[in-house]
Amino acid sequence: MLKCGEMKGIVINDPFFVFEENNQNRRDPAPVRVDKMIEYIKSKLPGPPELLLCILPERKNSDIYGPWKRRNLSELGIVTQCIAPAKLNDQYITNVLLKINAKLGGMNSLLQVEHSPSIPLVSKCPTLILGMDVSHGSPGRSDVPSIAAVVSSRNWPLISRYRAAVRTQSPKVEMIASLFKPVSDKEDAGIIRELLLDFYATSNSRKPDQIIIFRCGITNIFNT
């Protein structure tokens, strides 16, 4: 991976530490295995890692994949990349590097139209673009939480830079429950507030004058 990245102009440092799961823990339930692994990682690192690259012992849809991603991403806010390669080749590693670059805030592509300030609706005023979706468990699995995700644009007037917010919610619920989540009279822990703050921080302290939302094939424009 280091060599492939270097060939493509991506500088990757050697890993800070290499962790390996204790063979005895592999008999435990998946959530227990994940908790033990995270405690082991915490004991060896001086602080939260920038990225955890996880090489799964089984296929990507193994039992530990879901608990591992949910624990790190949703609860701890740690960026992870999981791989379970049957074959290692340049194309596979390149795809992994593209995912890692995007997750760490890098840009893999830039639309040609972004080079000119003439994007319809977007260039004339600060515009936040949101994409929303909900992922559900397999049919018949009513015990698996649904995953709500919202992707938002940042660094206006660019539209190729984005970030994501993810929340778990009740199984099989299509309505996103955490868009607005007041925790007190003055505090909101919802997804929309999180993404609005990110837009403001990355767009020269500009608030969006309009918001474009893509949700299940429906596009709306709200003037703010």
Side-chain angles (χ1 to χ4, degrees):
M1 184 173 290
L2 298 180
K3 292 179 180 178
C4 183
E6 184 179 359
M7 293 174 59
K8 293 171 173 59
I10 303 175
V11 178
I12 305 174
N13 296 325
D14 292 329
F16 182 86
F17 198 86
V18 178
F19 308 91
E20 186 173 357
E21 184 182 25
N22 190 320
N23 287 331
Q24 296 180 350
N25 295 341
R26 296 186 180 183
R27 301 175 182 176
D28 296 329
V32 176
R33 293 173 63 187
V34 169
D35 288 340
K36 289 182 177 179
M37 194 65 186
I38 289 177
E39 290 304 315
Y40 175 44
I41 293 173
K42 287 181 177 179
S43 69
K44 296 293 184 179
L45 296 179
E50 185 177 7
L51 170 74
L52 285 176
L53 177 64
C54 178
I55 304 176
L56 297 173
E58 304 96 9
R59 294 186 305 168
K60 188 175 180 179
N61 58 353
S62 64
D63 291 340
I64 64 172
Y65 176 76
W68 173 260
K69 297 293 284 189
R70 182 165 55 251
R71 186 84 164 85
N72 282 285
L73 184 60
S74 299
E75 299 178 18
L76 301 177
I78 297 175
V79 177
T80 68
Q81 178 62 52
C82 294
I83 60 175
K87 292 183 179 180
L88 278 177
N89 53 48
D90 182 79
Q91 185 61 52
Y92 180 88
I93 296 176
T94 299
N95 289 338
V96 172
L97 290 176
L98 289 173
K99 291 181 179 181
I100 292 175
N101 186 51
K103 291 178 180 180
L104 294 179
M107 183 179 294
N108 292 330
S109 60
L110 186 70
L111 297 177
Q112 185 174 2
V113 70
E114 293 183 83
H115 291 287
S116 60
S118 59
I119 306 176
L121 297 177
V122 176
S123 298
K124 293 182 179 180
C125 64
T127 303
L128 174 65
I129 303 175
L130 302 175
M132 306 179 182
D133 200 4
V134 180
S135 176
H136 306 291
S138 304
R141 292 293 305 273
S142 59
D143 59 325
V144 178
S146 293
I147 307 295
V150 181
V151 177
S152 70
S153 61
R154 60 205 310 255
N155 293 95
W156 179 83
L158 298 180
I159 59 176
S160 291
R161 296 188 71 92
Y162 59 90
R163 63 162 292 169
V166 182
R167 302 286 194 279
T168 58
Q169 59 185 39
S170 300
K172 307 301 181 183
V173 175
E174 184 64 26
M175 183 71 70
I176 300 178
S178 299
L179 293 180
F180 174 63
K181 188 177 181 181
V183 294
S184 69
D185 292 339
K186 297 182 179 180
E187 188 176 357
D188 172 27
I191 293 176
I192 297 299
R193 183 177 186 274
E194 174 184 331
L195 299 180
L196 283 172
L197 289 174
D198 178 76
F199 182 91
Y200 182 84
T202 62
S203 303
N204 295 320
S205 300
R206 296 290 299 271
K207 298 179 181 179
D209 290 336
Q210 62 181 1
I211 301 175
I212 301 176
I213 300 177
F214 293 89
R215 178 70 165 97
C216 293
I218 300 175
T219 304
N220 292 323
I221 300 177
F222 299 97
N223 291 320
T224 58

